[in-house]
Amino acid sequence: MKVMLVDDSKTMRNIQKGILAQLGYNQLEEASDGLDALSKVGAFQPDLLLVDWNMPNMDGLTFVKKYREQGNRTPIIMVTTEAEKARVVEAIKAGVNNYVVKPFTPDVLSGRIKETMDRAKAA
């Protein structure tokens, strides 16, 4: 499975890469913000995106809206410190399929990935 990690923190991307490697996901692409992700997503064609909310240049919410406007249906998990219910609802309305609040444990992230992919397969 191909996964794109969109986060301005290299440390966070490395943590996510470690968890994904444990789950057997080794086809990864990284982007440092929404603009970077938009430039890479077409060529990479991910099966799943993990997207941070707060990033420079283009935030995760704007990225999700633009990505969905292009007709893309690839599952997206928002991985962010934004934990308020209103923010979660805003992200889901923008097209996010699932949500993980930082800091998270490897079990939480792997559970959300499995849940998201199971739902995508059922749809």
Side-chain angles (χ1 to χ4, degrees):
M1 184 166 85
K2 295 163 73 172
V3 183
M4 178 174 268
L5 307 174
V6 186
D7 198 307
D8 59 322
S9 165
K10 187 168 180 55
T11 302
M12 183 53 64
R13 292 195 311 266
N14 284 336
I15 290 169
Q16 292 173 350
K17 281 196 305 193
I19 294 169
L20 290 165
Q22 288 175 6
L23 295 172
Y25 304 140
N26 294 312
Q27 288 184 278
L28 306 175
E29 177 65 86
E30 297 180 48
S32 60
D33 59 45
L35 279 179
D36 192 23
L38 280 178
S39 73
K40 293 177 177 174
V41 75
F44 184 62
Q45 295 290 311
D47 301 304
L48 175 69
L49 294 105
L50 303 182
V51 180
D52 184 23
W53 190 309
N54 297 305
M55 297 181 286
N57 302 316
M58 180 187 288
D59 66 36
L61 192 67
T62 303
F63 166 77
V64 169
K65 288 177 181 174
K66 289 190 178 296
Y67 185 67
R68 292 297 189 223
E69 283 170 9
Q70 295 172 358
N72 296 300
R73 301 176 53 89
T74 303
I76 300 173
I77 299 176
M78 184 71 82
V79 183
T80 180
T81 56
E82 299 287 344
E84 288 179 35
K85 188 176 179 183
R87 300 292 266 176
V88 175
V89 170
E90 188 178 359
I92 289 170
K93 282 183 179 173
V96 167
N97 300 81
N98 216 328
Y99 208 89
V100 176
V101 176
K102 296 178 190 172
F104 55 81
T105 64
D107 286 347
V108 168
L109 184 61
S110 64
R112 293 288 162 76
I113 289 171
K114 184 177 180 334
E115 192 179 286
T116 302
M117 297 314 292
D118 286 350
R119 270 194 252 152
K121 285 177 192 165

